[in-house]
Amino acid sequence: MNSSQSVAGSPEPAPQPVQRGSQRFAPGEGPLPDPAGSHHERRIRSFQPRRSRVTTSQAEALLKRWPDWGIDIDGKRVLDLGEMFGGLPVVLEIGFGMGEATAQMAAADPGTGILAVDVHTPGQGNLLGLADRNGLTNVRVANGDAIILLREMLDKDVLDGCRVYFPDPWPKARHHKRRLIQPEFLSLLATRLKPGGVLHCATDWEPYAEQMLEVLSAHPDFENTRADGGFAPRPDFRPLTRFEGQGLDKGHVVHDLLFRRK
């Protein structure tokens, strides 16, 4: 029985309050703050949850669409992507920020499902709002750790691609171990990508771009789609985001990498 149903003859329960401008929602009506539980494991993570407050419109989008389009990464079940996306090919996007680029890609390619993962509640609400307002039924929003999602909630050979755009570069040397694009991550991802599935990374932090190229080029499960073994030009399907435009205005160089699973 869901929260909108009641037992016949009994009074309708009062709705649980939603504190707009916060991350707290009634159970089942929004993303959990720690879906896998802090006890799940101890390891170095590539992300830090951001505690900024959700706006009223973001909270309303979460209330409206989270029950149908939201997924808490709890590590307790295996997702049926075929059922979830109606048989569409599915691309995993890790870290979507506020979701504007994700929504643009979903609108431009309705024949591809996008499973978008992030831990930023305002961004989750913003992407769900964009999807709802624009009728984008090919987007699902997952809340939590992408490693747990890949390892415990996806079958082998189910993804047609993976996108990692502008991940945290962790610029200090002592934090490099937190970077997402590492051999261990690539080995896990390769088991979930279909043969021929493409990992597309983009970054404006040149030292991280060089590390990505080195690690990907050395990995036995991936091959560069570029014959020259270098960086790729930005594909037309990756939108130029406001964040990226600001970086370009400051003289930053954006590097794209497209590697195919063998």
Side-chain angles (χ1 to χ4, degrees), residues 148-167:
I148 295 175
L149 174 69
L150 284 164
R151 192 182 63 208
E152 300 180 27
M153 298 181 67
L154 295 179
D155 284 323
K156 293 182 178 180
D157 300 342
V158 295
L159 295 173
D160 292 85
C162 179
R163 298 166 180 164
V164 183
Y165 297 158
F166 304 98

Side-chain angles (χ1 to χ4, degrees), residues 1-157:
M1 183 170 66
N2 62 39
S3 60
S4 64
Q5 296 172 323
S6 61
V7 178
S10 64
E12 187 75 21
Q16 296 293 318
V18 177
Q19 298 185 21
R20 290 175 171 79
S22 81
Q23 296 191 57
R24 294 188 292 275
F25 296 86
E29 292 185 337
L32 295 172
D34 187 13
S38 58
H39 65 281
H40 190 85
E41 61 183 339
R42 294 180 62 86
R43 62 176 168 80
I44 296 170
R45 300 183 188 275
S46 64
F47 63 89
Q48 289 182 321
R50 290 170 287 170
R51 303 299 182 186
S52 53
R53 296 165 67 85
V54 299
T55 65
T56 298
S57 62
Q58 291 161 359
E60 289 173 347
L62 285 162
L63 280 173
K64 181 178 180 181
R65 284 304 184 184
W66 186 263
D68 298 321
W69 291 353
I71 303 152
D72 275 315
I73 301 174
D74 55 14
K76 296 179 180 179
R77 65 199 189 282
V78 175
L79 301 177
D80 186 339
L81 297 187
E83 180 180 357
M84 186 179 298
F85 289 96
L88 297 177
V90 178
V91 171
L92 175 67
E93 183 177 358
I94 300 176
F96 56 80
M98 295 304 290
E100 292 98 338
T102 307
Q104 289 181 53
M105 290 185 289
D109 184 13
T112 295
I114 301 177
L115 179 57
V117 184
D118 211 305
V119 293
H120 186 45
T121 311
Q124 293 165 353
N126 199 60
L127 177 53
L128 286 172
L130 289 169
D132 185 44
R133 290 192 296 274
N134 293 285
L136 306 177
T137 60
N138 57 329
V139 175
R140 299 293 181 271
V141 175
N143 166 52
D145 189 337
I147 300 297
I148 295 175
L149 174 69
L150 284 164
R151 192 182 63 208
E152 300 180 27
M153 298 181 67
L154 295 179
D155 284 323
K156 293 182 178 180
D157 300 342

